[in-house]
Amino acid sequence: MKKFALIGAAGYIAPRHLKAIKETGNDLVVAMDINDSVGIMDSHFPDAEFFTEFEQFSGFVEDLKQKGEKLDYVAICSPNYLHLPHMKFALQNGIDVICEKPLVLQTEDLDILKRYESQHGAKVNSILQLRLHPSIIALRDKVAAAPAGKVFDVDLTYLTSRGKWYLKSWKGFDEKSGGVATNIGVHFYDMLHFIFGKILHNEVHYRDEKTSCGFLRYERANVRWFLSIDANHLPDNAVQGEKLTYRSIDIEGEELEFSGGFTDLHTQSYQRILAGQGYGVEDNRAAIETVVEMRNAPIVNNPTNAHPLLAKVKGAQA
């Protein structure tokens, strides 16, 4: 039984980590969040210690180490801009990391993590759960089996409505979240790299606080992409659930169906990590480089490879 800590226990994604720790037969020793709405812990690890201040949490972890009871893993579900310092803390204490996406916000941060891994003998593992989805693995196999030189035409569309709270939270500030393309899209760009290979070209056609779209060329695909948290862009057939959502990946007229099958992917990710098969720092580089470039790229006006929804956005502004 491995001993875990969890940073960001009140966050949206934390329950999936609590469930994964439990389902892999391990123990949560301590958790931390500046917010105290963490009653979810009671249904998984009611005896775990909990702190609302990082100084108290770090002192507890370091005391365990001094007593010879060092933790095995720190799971990190904190806001994006805190991932790097929280990972550095774990690595400095010789504790392996399991971190949510995006692993970091800047490409150079990946190199910092590699130095920390080398210096302190601990490892970073990341949650890249789409790589484990059966439909995505099947598509990757299909692309690999296609004739050499075949380049697929792909439309990626992801709209997930968010209320007014979103832009007032840390997610609404690019320096904290990385912006829309990073915060809700980085795992899609990892998926595209995973399926279609090396990225060759990256251009942005539109970018504001709620919406971003553009064009990507990979070794095996030309991808028109559109991401938004603006409910005004949702089509009539958006899925009514916890929030109105529309997700589509169209490969030359054929829809990739991957709306289901997500419930156990965090647990599968943990199983791989515990078996020494987790995705590490370098596995994240292509996607992080992609979103950093999107954040800073000049806008291409009147593009030749525009996503169909770009006209709707520009029409609404006219």
Side-chain angles (χ1 to χ4, degrees):
M1 181 180 286
K2 300 295 184 182
K3 291 181 285 188
F4 278 78
L6 175 66
I7 302 176
Y12 167 78
I13 206 68
R16 297 188 197 181
H17 287 259
L18 291 167
K19 180 171 175 279
I21 295 168
K22 186 83 168 181
E23 289 184 346
T24 52
N26 298 295
D27 186 36
L28 182 69
V29 176
V30 58
M32 180 266 156
D33 201 297
I34 60 171
N35 298 306
D36 58 11
S37 298
V38 292
I40 185 69
M41 289 174 56
D42 289 348
S43 40
H44 294 91
F45 300 100
D47 296 326
E49 291 289 345
F50 175 73
F51 300 101
T52 57
E53 295 182 10
F54 187 79
E55 292 80 4
Q56 292 178 311
F57 167 81
S58 62
F60 179 86
V61 170
E62 288 161 2
D63 286 347
L64 286 178
K65 184 179 177 182
Q66 290 295 322
K67 292 189 291 185
E69 301 173 14
K70 183 175 79 69
L71 297 170
D72 297 293
Y73 291 94
V74 176
I76 297 173
C77 306
S78 52
N80 300 352
Y81 70 105
L82 294 175
H83 287 179
L84 180 63
H86 288 160
M87 283 189 282
K88 288 165 73 175
F89 164 77
L91 295 172
Q92 282 176 317
N93 282 280
I95 306 170
D96 287 349
V97 166
I98 300 175
C99 187
E100 264 301 332
K101 60 84 184 169
L103 191 65
V104 290
L105 292 180
Q106 304 295 339
T107 307
E108 54 265 30
D109 294 342
L110 298 171
D111 300 320
I112 293 172
L113 287 175
K114 291 179 73 174
R115 288 201 300 272
Y116 269 70
E117 284 184 321
S118 178
Q119 290 169 4
H120 302 288
K123 176 174 170 50
V124 171
N125 301 279
S126 57
I127 300 293
L128 299 175
Q129 76 270 33
L130 289 184
R131 295 190 181 200
L132 307 181
H133 195 289
S135 295
I136 289 162
I137 293 170
L139 176 58
R140 189 188 195 211
D141 292 343
K142 177 181 176 180
V143 170
K150 166 65 177 172
V151 177
F152 293 81
D153 290 320
V154 179
D155 280 356
L156 165 65
T157 311
Y158 181 55
L159 300 101
T160 178
S161 57
R162 295 290 193 272
K164 295 178 181 178
W165 66 269
Y166 185 95
L167 295 179
K168 295 180 180 179
S169 74
W170 62 267
K171 297 178 181 182
F173 297 87
D174 282 11
E175 66 272 20
K176 292 185 175 182
S177 70
V180 168
T182 301
N183 195 49
I184 71 167
V186 69
H187 55 308
F188 288 118
Y189 303 120
D190 176 74
M191 175 199 73
L192 291 169
H193 162 66
F194 179 69
I195 296 170
F196 298 112
K198 184 179 178 181
I199 186 168
L200 305 176
H201 181 68
N202 183 352
E203 62 185 45
V204 178
H205 301 160
Y206 184 87
R207 181 177 57 229
D208 67 17
E209 60 189 0
K210 292 184 177 181
T211 302
S212 190
C213 66
F215 174 76
L216 292 161
R217 179 173 291 117
Y218 293 88
E219 290 175 296
R220 304 297 305 272
N222 294 319
V223 182
R224 304 185 299 183
W225 60 273
F226 185 97
L227 303 176
S228 183
I229 60 165
D230 190 339
N232 292 316
H233 302 326
L234 285 162
D236 294 337
N237 62 336
V239 176
Q240 177 74 54
E242 178 183 327
K243 49 189 171 289
L244 277 172
T245 299
Y246 178 79
R247 177 172 52 209
S248 170
I249 299 179
D250 182 285
I251 303 103
E252 301 190 337
E254 183 176 339
E255 186 77 15
L256 173 65
E257 175 51 52
F258 70 121
S259 55
F262 282 93
T263 53
D264 296 322
L265 293 184
H266 273 71
T267 296
Q268 290 180 40
S269 296
Y270 269 64
Q271 290 168 341
R272 287 178 58 93
I273 290 165
L274 290 161
Q277 300 171 350
Y279 292 115
V281 173
E282 279 304 315
D283 293 304
N284 288 266
R285 189 173 294 274
I288 298 299
E289 288 178 346
T290 300
V291 294
V292 168
E293 189 169 348
M294 288 173 176
R295 202 179 304 146
N296 300 305
I299 302 299
V300 176
N301 294 308
N302 303 312
T304 57
N305 296 296
H307 189 284
L309 284 176
L310 176 60
K312 181 178 180 181
V313 173
K314 289 193 170 182
Q317 293 179 327

